[in-house]
Amino acid sequence: MDRFLLMTCFARAVETGSFSAAARDLGLGQPNVSRHVAALEDHLQTRLLHRSTRKLALTSEGERYYAEVRRILDAVDESESSFRENTDPSGLLRVACPTALAHKFVLPHVPAFLERYTGVTLDLQINDRYVDLINEGAELAIRIGHLEDSALRARRIGGFERVCVASKAYLAKYGTPNTPAELRSHNCVIYTLLASGTTWRFRDTEIQVSGRFRVNSPEAVRESVAAGLGIGIGPQWLYEDGLRDGTLQLLLEQYTAPPVPVQIVYVAKRLLPKRAIAFMDFIEEAFSAVPALNTNSKPPQV
C-alpha cells in the first residue's frame, strides 16, 4: 500500500471538492482516486468524507486528518525543494484573512502576486473567525492585534489606529460623549467577533459597552453606524469615506489607544515552504506603501 499516494489523493479531493477534479489534477482516473481514498479510510478504520452526488464534505475525523496530511505533504514538498536551489515557489498556499482587511488591502494585490509567482496556487480563506493554524491546515494567517499564542510566530506588516465614530445624525439626537465612561449611556453597535468582546479599549482605560444591535461583520458595523443605529469602534480606514464626506464624526480622539498591529502569523515549529515566505515578503512590501496601515494620523474630516 502506497500510503503517500493515498494521502495525496485524499488531500486533493478535499481541496478540489470532488474525486473527478482531483483525478484531473493528479493525472489519475476518477475511479482510482475514489478507490484510493476508500482504501485510506479502510486502513484508518474511520470515515473521512461524506459523499453525495453534489459534493464531498469532511467528517470531523476527516478535518483533523486533513490538517495532519497537509502538513506531511507540505513538509515533503519543501524538503525536496530545499535540494533544488534555484526552484521557484510553487504549490498550494492557504492563507486566512479577516474580511474587511482582505477586501480593502489584500485582494487588490492578488493579481500581481500570482503573476510574479506563476507556480503558486493561492487559497485565500476570507472570514472573521479565529483560524487554528495548527489543526486546520493553513500555513499563514493575517491577524489584527497582538500575538498571544506561544505556539505561533508573527511578522508585523502594518498597524492602524482603532477609532470611535458616530453619525452626525445620531449625535444630534443623543448627544456627544466626552469621555469613554459616557459610552455606557449610549447605544453602541457591537461587533461580536471583536477579541475583547463588548469591552472597548482606550488609552489608559477599558469600558464595557452595550447596544441593541450586534453583528459579526465589520462592514455591517460601519453601515449601521452610518445609518445612525449607534456608536461604533474600528479601524480608521474602515470609516474614512464617511469621515471624508462628513456623515461620520470622530469621537474621543484624545483617548485613542496605541496603534493596533497587523501581523502574519505561522506555526513556530512548522517548516515554512518557499511559497509562504514569498507571500509574506510580498504582502509586507505591499502594505508598506499603504498610508492607512503605516500612520498614526487621524483620517480626514470636513
Side-chain angles (χ1 to χ4, degrees):
M1 178 190 297
D2 185 346
R3 269 188 277 175
F4 188 80
L5 174 61
L6 305 191
M7 289 189 293
T8 299
C9 289
F10 168 66
R12 293 310 293 147
V14 171
E15 291 156 2
T16 61
S18 71
F19 291 138
S20 57
R24 289 192 298 271
D25 185 65
L26 296 170
L28 301 172
Q30 186 272 339
N32 287 330
V33 173
S34 179
R35 185 167 58 251
H36 290 330
V37 174
L40 182 62
E41 290 177 318
D42 184 61
H43 173 72
L44 297 172
Q45 297 187 337
T46 189
R47 171 79 65 169
L48 300 173
L49 293 169
H50 295 300
R51 296 151 172 87
S52 73
T53 56
R54 307 182 75 178
K55 65 177 182 177
L56 300 175
L58 284 166
T59 65
S60 57
E61 293 81 7
E63 289 180 358
R64 295 197 300 272
Y65 188 67
Y66 170 72
E68 295 297 328
V69 164
R70 192 65 261 172
R71 282 199 291 272
I72 292 169
L73 297 179
D74 286 344
V76 170
D77 179 61
E78 186 63 17
S79 295
E80 292 179 347
S81 67
S82 67
F83 291 98
R84 301 189 295 268
E85 295 182 1
N86 298 321
T87 56
D88 293 326
S90 62
L92 177 67
L93 175 65
R94 293 162 302 277
V95 180
C97 186
T99 55
L101 197 72
H103 286 286
K104 189 168 182 68
F105 298 116
V106 178
L107 284 173
H109 295 290
V110 167
F113 174 78
L114 294 178
E115 184 177 359
R116 182 181 298 182
Y117 299 104
T118 56
V120 175
T121 298
L122 178 62
D123 178 0
L124 187 62
Q125 302 169 4
I126 301 176
N127 59 70
D128 289 316
R129 71 176 182 84
Y130 180 86
V131 175
D132 185 344
L133 293 182
I134 294 177
N135 295 313
E136 295 191 43
E139 284 92 356
L140 304 172
I142 300 177
R143 289 188 182 159
I144 295 170
H146 296 279
L147 180 64
E148 297 179 355
D149 190 337
S150 61
L152 303 177
R153 288 182 181 168
R155 182 194 292 194
R156 184 180 174 117
I157 55 174
F160 60 81
E161 287 183 341
R162 185 173 278 145
V163 296
C164 192
V165 299
S167 71
K168 291 185 177 179
Y170 175 90
L171 298 174
K173 188 173 182 179
Y174 297 105
T176 302
N178 295 308
T179 67
E182 292 180 21
L183 291 173
R184 296 192 183 101
S185 61
H186 279 269
N187 211 19
C188 295
V189 179
I190 306 299
Y191 173 45
T192 55
L193 297 181
L194 184 67
S196 58
T198 56
T199 300
W200 287 4
R201 293 170 178 166
F202 295 88
R203 189 176 299 276
D204 302 324
T205 189
E206 296 182 350
I207 298 297
Q208 191 82 18
V209 300
S210 62
R212 296 181 56 213
F213 184 59
R214 301 178 174 223
V215 68
N216 65 349
S217 160
E219 294 92 341
V221 172
R222 178 190 61 208
E223 298 305 317
S224 302
V225 169
L229 293 186
I231 297 173
I233 198 168
Q236 62 181 35
W237 45 262
L238 188 65
Y239 297 103
E240 61 186 3
D241 290 342
L243 293 166
R244 185 175 292 111
D245 66 25
T247 57
L248 299 181
Q249 179 175 318
L250 281 173
L251 305 174
L252 307 172
E253 296 180 65
Q254 67 272 37
Y255 298 100
T256 300
V260 179
V262 179
Q263 305 182 102
I264 296 184
V265 301
Y266 54 95
V267 178
K269 295 182 179 180
R270 185 180 297 172
L271 180 66
L272 275 181
K274 288 183 179 179
R275 56 185 174 270
I277 297 171
F279 182 84
M280 287 196 292
D281 291 342
F282 182 90
I283 290 297
E284 182 177 21
E285 180 183 357
F287 277 24
S288 69
V290 179
L293 297 176
N294 293 277
T295 180
N296 295 333
S297 62
K298 297 292 188 291
Q301 288 200 85
V302 297

Short mmCIF file of all heavy atoms in Angstrom, two decimals, residues 115-140:
data_model
loop_
_atom_site.label_atom_id
_atom_site.label_comp_id
_atom_site.label_asym_id
_atom_site.label_seq_id
_atom_site.Cartn_x
_atom_site.Cartn_y
_atom_site.Cartn_z
N GLU A 115 0.88 36.72 -10.67
CA GLU A 115 1.66 36.95 -11.88
C GLU A 115 3.16 36.78 -11.61
O GLU A 115 3.89 36.27 -12.45
CB GLU A 115 1.39 38.35 -12.42
CG GLU A 115 2.09 38.65 -13.74
CD GLU A 115 1.74 40.02 -14.29
OE1 GLU A 115 0.94 40.74 -13.65
OE2 GLU A 115 2.28 40.37 -15.36
N ARG A 116 3.59 37.21 -10.44
CA ARG A 116 5.01 37.07 -10.10
C ARG A 116 5.38 35.62 -9.82
O ARG A 116 6.44 35.15 -10.22
CB ARG A 116 5.34 37.93 -8.88
CG ARG A 116 6.82 37.87 -8.50
CD ARG A 116 7.14 38.71 -7.27
NE ARG A 116 6.86 40.12 -7.46
CZ ARG A 116 7.09 41.05 -6.53
NH1 ARG A 116 7.61 40.68 -5.35
NH2 ARG A 116 6.80 42.32 -6.76
N TYR A 117 4.49 34.89 -9.13
CA TYR A 117 4.79 33.50 -8.74
C TYR A 117 3.82 32.58 -9.47
O TYR A 117 2.78 32.17 -8.92
CB TYR A 117 4.69 33.34 -7.23
CG TYR A 117 5.67 34.22 -6.49
CD1 TYR A 117 5.25 35.39 -5.84
CD2 TYR A 117 7.03 33.92 -6.47
CE1 TYR A 117 6.16 36.20 -5.17
CE2 TYR A 117 7.94 34.74 -5.81
CZ TYR A 117 7.49 35.88 -5.17
OH TYR A 117 8.40 36.69 -4.52
N THR A 118 4.16 32.26 -10.70
CA THR A 118 3.23 31.52 -11.57
C THR A 118 3.04 30.07 -11.13
O THR A 118 2.08 29.43 -11.57
CB THR A 118 3.74 31.55 -13.01
OG1 THR A 118 5.08 31.03 -13.06
CG2 THR A 118 3.76 32.99 -13.54
N GLY A 119 3.91 29.56 -10.30
CA GLY A 119 3.76 28.19 -9.84
C GLY A 119 2.94 28.03 -8.58
O GLY A 119 2.70 26.91 -8.12
N VAL A 120 2.49 29.14 -8.00
CA VAL A 120 1.75 29.10 -6.73
C VAL A 120 0.25 29.19 -6.99
O VAL A 120 -0.22 29.99 -7.80
CB VAL A 120 2.18 30.27 -5.82
CG1 VAL A 120 1.32 30.30 -4.54
CG2 VAL A 120 3.65 30.13 -5.46
N THR A 121 -0.50 28.36 -6.29
CA THR A 121 -1.97 28.46 -6.24
C THR A 121 -2.35 28.99 -4.87
O THR A 121 -1.97 28.40 -3.85
CB THR A 121 -2.62 27.09 -6.46
OG1 THR A 121 -2.28 26.61 -7.76
CG2 THR A 121 -4.14 27.18 -6.34
N LEU A 122 -3.06 30.10 -4.84
CA LEU A 122 -3.39 30.75 -3.57
C LEU A 122 -4.83 30.44 -3.16
O LEU A 122 -5.77 30.69 -3.92
CB LEU A 122 -3.22 32.27 -3.71
CG LEU A 122 -3.57 33.11 -2.47
CD1 LEU A 122 -2.67 32.75 -1.29
CD2 LEU A 122 -3.45 34.60 -2.79
N ASP A 123 -4.97 29.88 -1.98
CA ASP A 123 -6.29 29.64 -1.38
C ASP A 123 -6.47 30.66 -0.27
O ASP A 123 -6.00 30.46 0.85
CB ASP A 123 -6.35 28.21 -0.84
CG ASP A 123 -7.68 27.88 -0.15
OD1 ASP A 123 -8.56 28.77 -0.09
OD2 ASP A 123 -7.84 26.74 0.31
N LEU A 124 -7.12 31.77 -0.57
CA LEU A 124 -7.32 32.85 0.41
C LEU A 124 -8.64 32.60 1.14
O LEU A 124 -9.72 32.67 0.54
CB LEU A 124 -7.33 34.21 -0.29
CG LEU A 124 -7.38 35.44 0.63
CD1 LEU A 124 -6.15 35.50 1.53
CD2 LEU A 124 -7.50 36.71 -0.19
N GLN A 125 -8.55 32.30 2.41
CA GLN A 125 -9.73 31.95 3.21
C GLN A 125 -10.19 33.19 3.97
O GLN A 125 -9.62 33.56 4.99
CB GLN A 125 -9.38 30.80 4.15
CG GLN A 125 -8.89 29.57 3.40
CD GLN A 125 -8.29 28.51 4.30
OE1 GLN A 125 -8.30 28.62 5.53
NE2 GLN A 125 -7.76 27.45 3.70
N ILE A 126 -11.23 33.86 3.42
CA ILE A 126 -11.69 35.13 3.96
C ILE A 126 -12.82 34.90 4.95
O ILE A 126 -13.92 34.48 4.56
CB ILE A 126 -12.13 36.07 2.82
CG1 ILE A 126 -10.98 36.32 1.85
CG2 ILE A 126 -12.66 37.38 3.37
CD1 ILE A 126 -11.36 37.14 0.64
N ASN A 127 -12.56 35.16 6.20
CA ASN A 127 -13.60 35.09 7.23
C ASN A 127 -13.07 35.75 8.50
O ASN A 127 -11.87 36.00 8.62
CB ASN A 127 -14.03 33.65 7.50
CG ASN A 127 -12.89 32.77 7.96
OD1 ASN A 127 -12.40 32.92 9.07
ND2 ASN A 127 -12.45 31.84 7.10
N ASP A 128 -13.97 36.02 9.43
CA ASP A 128 -13.57 36.73 10.64
C ASP A 128 -13.48 35.82 11.86
O ASP A 128 -13.24 36.31 12.96
CB ASP A 128 -14.57 37.87 10.92
CG ASP A 128 -14.43 38.99 9.92
OD1 ASP A 128 -13.29 39.37 9.61
OD2 ASP A 128 -15.45 39.48 9.42
N ARG A 129 -13.64 34.53 11.68
CA ARG A 129 -13.48 33.64 12.82
C ARG A 129 -11.99 33.35 13.04
O ARG A 129 -11.16 33.55 12.15
CB ARG A 129 -14.24 32.34 12.60
CG ARG A 129 -13.64 31.43 11.54
CD ARG A 129 -14.40 30.10 11.45
NE ARG A 129 -13.79 29.22 10.47
CZ ARG A 129 -12.76 28.42 10.70
NH1 ARG A 129 -12.21 28.38 11.91
NH2 ARG A 129 -12.27 27.64 9.76
N TYR A 130 -11.67 32.87 14.21
CA TYR A 130 -10.29 32.52 14.54
C TYR A 130 -9.94 31.20 13.84
O TYR A 130 -10.61 30.18 14.05
CB TYR A 130 -10.12 32.38 16.05
CG TYR A 130 -8.72 32.00 16.47
CD1 TYR A 130 -7.75 32.98 16.67
CD2 TYR A 130 -8.36 30.67 16.65
CE1 TYR A 130 -6.46 32.64 17.06
CE2 TYR A 130 -7.08 30.32 17.03
CZ TYR A 130 -6.13 31.32 17.23
OH TYR A 130 -4.85 30.97 17.60
N VAL A 131 -8.92 31.21 13.01
CA VAL A 131 -8.49 30.02 12.30
C VAL A 131 -7.32 29.40 13.05
O VAL A 131 -6.29 30.05 13.27
CB VAL A 131 -8.07 30.35 10.86
CG1 VAL A 131 -7.49 29.12 10.16
CG2 VAL A 131 -9.26 30.88 10.07
N ASP A 132 -7.49 28.15 13.46
CA ASP A 132 -6.45 27.43 14.19
C ASP A 132 -5.43 26.88 13.19
O ASP A 132 -5.69 25.87 12.51
CB ASP A 132 -7.09 26.29 14.99
CG ASP A 132 -6.10 25.56 15.87
OD1 ASP A 132 -4.88 25.72 15.67
OD2 ASP A 132 -6.54 24.81 16.77
N LEU A 133 -4.28 27.53 13.08
CA LEU A 133 -3.28 27.11 12.11
C LEU A 133 -2.74 25.72 12.39
O LEU A 133 -2.34 25.00 11.47
CB LEU A 133 -2.12 28.12 12.08
CG LEU A 133 -2.44 29.52 11.57
CD1 LEU A 133 -1.17 30.37 11.58
CD2 LEU A 133 -3.03 29.48 10.17
N ILE A 134 -2.71 25.34 13.63
CA ILE A 134 -2.13 24.05 13.99
C ILE A 134 -3.03 22.91 13.51
O ILE A 134 -2.57 21.88 13.03
CB ILE A 134 -1.90 23.95 15.51
CG1 ILE A 134 -0.82 24.96 15.92
CG2 ILE A 134 -1.50 22.54 15.92
CD1 ILE A 134 -0.56 25.02 17.41
N ASN A 135 -4.35 23.09 13.60
CA ASN A 135 -5.28 22.00 13.33
C ASN A 135 -6.09 22.15 12.05
O ASN A 135 -6.81 21.21 11.67
CB ASN A 135 -6.25 21.83 14.50
CG ASN A 135 -5.56 21.41 15.78
OD1 ASN A 135 -4.74 20.49 15.76
ND2 ASN A 135 -5.86 22.08 16.88
N GLU A 136 -5.99 23.28 11.36
CA GLU A 136 -6.85 23.49 10.19
C GLU A 136 -6.11 23.51 8.86
O GLU A 136 -6.72 23.71 7.82
CB GLU A 136 -7.67 24.77 10.37
CG GLU A 136 -8.66 24.68 11.52
CD GLU A 136 -9.65 25.82 11.53
OE1 GLU A 136 -10.17 26.18 10.45
OE2 GLU A 136 -9.92 26.37 12.61
N GLY A 137 -4.81 23.34 8.87
CA GLY A 137 -4.10 23.14 7.62
C GLY A 137 -3.68 24.37 6.85
O GLY A 137 -3.11 24.25 5.77
N ALA A 138 -3.95 25.57 7.35
CA ALA A 138 -3.48 26.78 6.68
C ALA A 138 -2.04 27.08 7.11
O ALA A 138 -1.67 26.87 8.26
CB ALA A 138 -4.38 27.97 7.02
N GLU A 139 -1.23 27.56 6.16
CA GLU A 139 0.16 27.88 6.50
C GLU A 139 0.27 29.23 7.20
O GLU A 139 1.09 29.40 8.10
CB GLU A 139 1.03 27.92 5.24
CG GLU A 139 1.38 26.56 4.68
CD GLU A 139 0.38 26.12 3.62
OE1 GLU A 139 -0.61 26.83 3.39
OE2 GLU A 139 0.60 25.06 3.05
N LEU A 140 -0.54 30.21 6.75
CA LEU A 140 -0.42 31.57 7.24
C LEU A 140 -1.78 32.14 7.60
O LEU A 140 -2.81 31.71 7.07
CB LEU A 140 0.21 32.47 6.16
CG LEU A 140 1.57 32.08 5.59
CD1 LEU A 140 1.92 33.00 4.42
CD2 LEU A 140 2.64 32.14 6.66
#
